[in-house]
Amino acid sequence: MIIQGTLVSSSGTFHSQIRLKGNQIVEVGSNLGDADLTFSDDCLIFAGMGDIHIHARDDVGESQIYKEDFCTAAAAAINGGVVHVADMPNNPVPPITDESYNDKVKHLAQRNPAIHFTLYAGIGPGTRPLSFAVPYKAYMGPSVGDLFFRTLEQLDETLSHYRGCNVSFHCEDPILLDEHANAATHEERRPAECEISATRFALQMIEKYDLRGKLCHYSVGEGLPLIREARNRGVQVTCEVTPHHLYFDQSDLTDENRGKMQMNPPLRTISDRKAMLAALRDGTLDYLATDHAPHTLEENEQGISGQPHLDTYGAFVTWLILDQKFTPEQAAQFCSENPGHFVNPYVSPKKFGRIEAGYTASLTVLNLKRPVTIKREDIQTKCGWSPFEGITFPGSVEAVFIEGKQVR
Ligand SMILES: NC(=O)N[C@@H](CC(=O)O)C(=O)O
């Protein structure tokens, strides 16, 4: 099969053709023959996009599958143009920190969702690395679930056993969170200083234990110089940013929407939001990762933290390109290539992230001339709502290919 159209990678945008055979890309070039499928000039063809921070809520115990499961998360992902995701370990009780990881892998295989899932293992007080390579997640302070540290000393001691591992950090300092616990609003209970202090500590840990570190859902402008400075010293650290921290800020909060707009870390100031957009543009932030955290609307109204975002991933990317003037090449970097680079070591070296011979044929096609207004009835996530309802994005997902098959 030959697909033709405008192909985007971090190194450029070219009118070209892709030959697929089975689940593989076998050739890319301008004169491969008559195309079986041609995408118009309104469309951009990216290597399949990946969201490396989601909460699918599915595990052996199935206690949270009223909010989401592997299959509904996969449907939401495809709806949003996402071909692979990485799932966080905080969902079940107890969280996945030991060889019970293998049971979750089996459960995932039984569900057989339509997209690839990479599973994180948790790091909690006193845990030890698994006997095989996985990406790890450490919650520095409490968020949703029981996986977190009460003190940073405890985290330091535990991390000493994870030397050289791939560790993602939820950066909120538990002691500072405690100090602000009685403040009036969610943002005041989890202020920027919690994230800044935790950033300093995470960077120190990454350096001390030679970790391959990642800072999750980054949201404070004041922390960015710390990250740049650490990288300049050779510290191996990458960073995620979410759609909500790029699109919303505290000026969007009203008495009516506070429940829906609550997440950890919380919405920050306008200047923080602008700093995140600038840092995604200049490469300080490496991944558009949603922190898709589905809860029912009732739960959000009752004060639980987290927003669903998989369904709107691709449409949101068109907002970055058309409204915020990101180049398609930048989007290819933070939506396709960097997420592919993050998960490929756990799957296979040429699985995700590039439109090149030898890579798996997974593609995300965005139409920059077909706006979409987000409506609840178009949402696939099981929790059934989106913080973007009623918002019109300037483009939408045109097509999605997974392992050589068009699934949308
Ligand atoms: N981000 C959130 O606000 N919620 C996440 C937990 C987390 O990642 O902190 C969830 O699991 O609901």
Side-chain angles (χ1 to χ4, degrees):
M1 177 190 197
I2 296 177
I3 297 174
Q4 174 169 300
T6 307
L7 311 193
V8 190
S9 73
S10 62
S11 50
T13 297
F14 308 97
H15 196 77
S16 193
Q17 294 183 321
I18 313 167
R19 189 193 303 280
L20 313 186
K21 198 165 182 200
N23 65 356
Q24 288 245 310
I25 296 171
V26 289
E27 216 179 346
V28 179
S30 47
N31 273 318
L32 304 184
D34 290 340
D36 300 286
L37 185 57
T38 301
F39 288 101
S40 79
D41 291 347
D42 298 343
C43 293
L44 297 177
I45 306 176
F46 294 87
M49 293 180 174
D51 184 352
I52 59 169
H53 189 141
I54 74 141
H55 301 266
R57 310 287 187 219
D58 204 347
D59 67 273
V60 179
E62 299 190 351
S63 61
Q64 298 191 22
I65 60 168
Y66 64 95
K67 311 187 205 225
E68 194 77 292
D69 60 54
F70 286 130
C71 295
T72 54
I78 291 171
N79 201 23
V82 170
V83 310
H84 71 99
V85 293
D87 184 40
M88 287 296 167
N90 66 318
N91 304 314
V93 183
I96 306 282
T97 56
D98 57 18
E99 308 291 322
S100 66
Y101 183 97
N102 288 317
D103 300 329
K104 188 169 173 185
V105 171
K106 277 186 212 137
H107 183 69
L108 172 64
Q110 277 159 7
R111 286 261 196 250
N112 194 21
I115 65 166
H116 178 82
F117 281 69
T118 302
L119 304 180
Y120 288 89
I123 298 179
T127 62
R128 295 291 178 267
L130 305 191
S131 55
F132 45 90
V134 295
Y136 292 95
K137 171 74 180 286
Y139 287 81
M140 298 173 83
S143 182
V144 174
D146 295 337
L147 184 63
F148 64 92
F149 287 85
R150 292 196 191 279
T151 68
L152 295 180
E153 289 72 29
Q154 205 178 24
L155 173 59
D156 186 347
E157 198 291 314
T158 304
L159 282 175
S160 67
H161 301 276
Y162 286 80
R163 208 168 264 285
C165 289
N166 178 347
V167 180
S168 294
F169 291 87
H170 179 117
C171 290
E172 289 186 287
D173 181 325
I175 303 299
L176 289 180
L177 285 175
D178 270 353
E179 278 176 21
H180 292 87
N182 295 321
T185 64
H186 185 68
E187 317 80 84
E188 289 162 354
R189 287 191 288 275
R190 309 184 81 103
E193 61 187 281
C194 297
E195 189 164 345
I196 296 163
S197 159
T199 303
R200 272 202 195 90
F201 193 80
L203 292 170
Q204 224 178 303
M205 291 298 100
I206 295 167
E207 193 165 14
K208 184 171 177 185
Y209 297 121
D210 203 16
L211 307 173
R212 282 166 294 135
K214 169 158 71 66
L215 309 187
C216 295
H217 35 54
Y218 214 73
S219 70
V220 282
E222 228 183 299
L224 296 167
L226 302 174
I227 298 165
R228 294 188 187 111
E229 190 269 328
R231 273 190 187 156
N232 288 342
R233 278 187 295 117
V235 177
Q236 290 191 70
V237 61
T238 57
C239 284
E240 306 169 358
V241 65
T242 67
H244 43 276
H245 291 121
L246 293 167
Y247 194 88
F248 299 116
D249 56 56
Q250 289 170 6
S251 70
D252 295 301
L253 291 170
T254 63
D255 288 345
E256 288 69 47
N257 72 11
R258 277 194 161 273
K260 284 189 199 169
M261 288 293 169
Q262 179 168 317
M263 74 294 287
N264 305 330
L267 294 182
R268 303 291 191 196
T269 63
I270 297 179
S271 82
D272 285 315
R273 184 170 71 79
K274 291 197 170 147
M276 292 309 110
L277 284 163
L280 183 60
R281 207 184 298 278
D282 74 19
T284 306
L285 302 174
D286 302 275
Y287 317 93
L288 179 67
T290 64
D291 189 13
H292 172 77
H295 300 288
T296 64
L297 267 178
E298 293 69 35
E299 288 172 323
N300 278 77
E301 292 306 335
Q302 285 158 14
I304 202 163
S305 297
Q307 289 186 327
H309 276 286
L310 270 173
D311 282 275
T312 46
Y313 191 101
F316 181 79
V317 174
T318 70
W319 176 79
L320 289 176
I321 295 172
L322 292 169
D323 248 76
Q324 298 298 310
K325 307 296 174 215
F326 280 76
T327 64
E329 292 82 3
Q330 287 168 327
Q333 183 94 51
F334 56 71
C335 297
S336 303
E337 292 173 25
N338 293 346
H341 192 72
F342 184 83
V343 306
N344 285 350
Y346 309 101
V347 196
S348 74
K350 291 187 168 185
K351 184 76 178 175
F352 296 116
R354 291 187 183 276
I355 306 179
E356 271 175 35
Y359 272 78
T360 300
S362 295
L363 305 169
T364 301
V365 186
L366 299 183
N367 188 328
L368 300 187
K369 292 270 172 65
R370 204 183 46 160
V372 61
T373 302
I374 304 306
K375 298 196 198 80
R376 194 168 289 186
E377 58 265 34
D378 300 331
I379 295 293
Q380 299 287 330
T381 175
K382 202 188 276 184
C383 72
W385 65 280
S386 162
F388 290 129
E389 279 166 40
I391 288 171
T392 300
F393 288 117
S396 50
V397 177
E398 177 77 14
V400 180
F401 293 80
I402 290 181
E403 309 253 344
K405 291 198 184 73
Q406 187 166 2
V407 293
R408 190 199 144 118

